[in-house]
Amino acid sequence: MRDHLPVELIGALESVGPTVVAFSGGVDSSLLAVAAHAVLGPGAVRAVTAVSPSLGADELDHCRALAAEWSLDWSTVTTAEMDDARYLANDTDRCFWCKTHLMDALAPVADGATVVLGVNVDDLGDHRPGQTAARQHGARFPLVEAGLTKAAIRDLAHAIGLSTWDRPAAPCLSSRLPYGTPVTLGRLTQVERAERALRALGFAEVRVRHHGDVGLVELPPTAFEEAQIRRSDIVDAVRAAGFRFV
């Protein structure tokens, strides 16, 4: 495994030392966890998944399965962003408070080890206040330090045989709410139920945006033809989650 990793990533991980990987089960954090395991050794790496209402149950199951498949030292922590009015307000700094609570929850687990996040070079150009919060709490981004873009990460993950290499991105459920719409357990549950139902219909890459009574379904262009054929199934599934209009 180590022989297939870029020297820049090996160097970045070696400079970090004992590591706690914030493990979401996506391609970025998957590659980071497996690479750290290969470079630093299993005793120096822990993969930790943050559990909260903004993480779908299917995503947690996915993380658990991957950790078992790859023999990772894996555990979970519960984060408390839903108790923070600044997060619930869902302003443009929502992700800052989310990552703040993540880092607070990971600190006791890390116990002196460095927390690393699967941020890639392409992420640096987006509005990502969570990155600022993570850096302020001492986190490092080895994929960025190694100069890896999203495409390079997918190619590398494919080359070393990771099943997540082509997995669609799965941002937290709160990201489906427009800024200014308060985050509530009810809204997150609606989104999760709708998206789970659509995945059960065979739409692997899907978002359901919460706009009050309206559930706005987003699919990639490659799924448009199938969506037209199964329009009534899609509408029924999203309405069953509590939306009036689709």
Side-chain angles (χ1 to χ4, degrees):
M1 170 75 72
R2 179 179 175 130
D3 293 341
H4 296 284
L5 299 176
V7 294
E8 294 84 359
L9 181 56
I10 293 173
L13 290 167
E14 287 180 337
S15 74
V16 171
T19 294
V20 169
V21 180
F23 186 67
S24 68
V27 61
D28 297 329
S29 67
S30 294
L31 177 65
L32 186 56
V34 170
H37 192 276
V39 172
L40 302 174
V45 180
R46 296 187 67 182
V48 182
T49 300
V51 178
S52 79
S54 67
L55 178 73
D58 291 346
E59 294 300 313
L60 179 58
D61 290 342
H62 171 70
C63 290
R64 182 181 293 108
L66 289 179
E69 177 185 349
W70 298 333
S71 300
L72 300 177
D73 179 4
W74 177 79
S75 59
T76 63
V77 292
T78 301
T79 54
E81 66 268 21
M82 292 295 287
D83 297 327
D84 189 333
R86 298 166 299 185
Y87 175 85
L88 298 179
N90 196 20
D91 204 345
T92 55
D93 62 353
R94 182 195 67 236
C95 292
F96 181 93
W97 304 114
C98 177
K99 284 297 186 292
T100 296
H101 284 281
L102 171 65
M103 296 300 296
D104 288 345
L106 290 177
V109 179
D111 191 26
T114 301
V115 175
V116 296
L117 273 61
V119 178
N120 64 68
V121 170
D122 294 334
D123 293 332
L124 300 179
D126 296 335
H127 174 65
R128 305 272 180 127
Q131 294 177 13
T132 301
R135 286 189 188 277
Q136 288 179 358
H137 285 77
R140 287 179 61 177
F141 308 152
L143 301 178
V144 171
E145 294 175 25
L148 294 176
T149 63
K150 188 73 169 190
I153 289 167
R154 289 197 184 278
D155 288 344
L156 180 56
H158 189 213
I160 63 178
L162 297 188
S163 57
T164 56
W165 74 271
D166 62 345
R167 191 169 194 265
C172 78
L173 295 174
S174 295
S175 68
R176 314 300 197 270
L177 278 58
Y179 287 134
T181 298
V183 178
T184 66
L185 182 58
R187 291 184 175 117
L188 298 182
T189 300
Q190 275 185 280
V191 170
E192 181 179 13
R193 287 179 58 198
E195 292 187 356
R196 180 184 295 149
L198 294 179
R199 285 193 295 270
L201 291 176
F203 297 100
E205 186 175 355
V206 63
R207 301 278 190 278
V208 177
R209 305 288 180 184
H210 196 297
H211 292 273
D213 287 339
V214 179
L216 178 62
V217 179
E218 294 181 358
L219 297 164
T222 53
F224 283 1
E225 183 175 354
E226 180 68 13
Q228 290 287 353
I229 295 171
R230 307 197 65 184
R231 177 183 177 87
S232 62
D233 293 335
I234 292 172
V235 171
D236 289 346
V238 178
R239 281 181 174 166
F243 294 97
R244 289 186 60 197
F245 306 104
V246 184

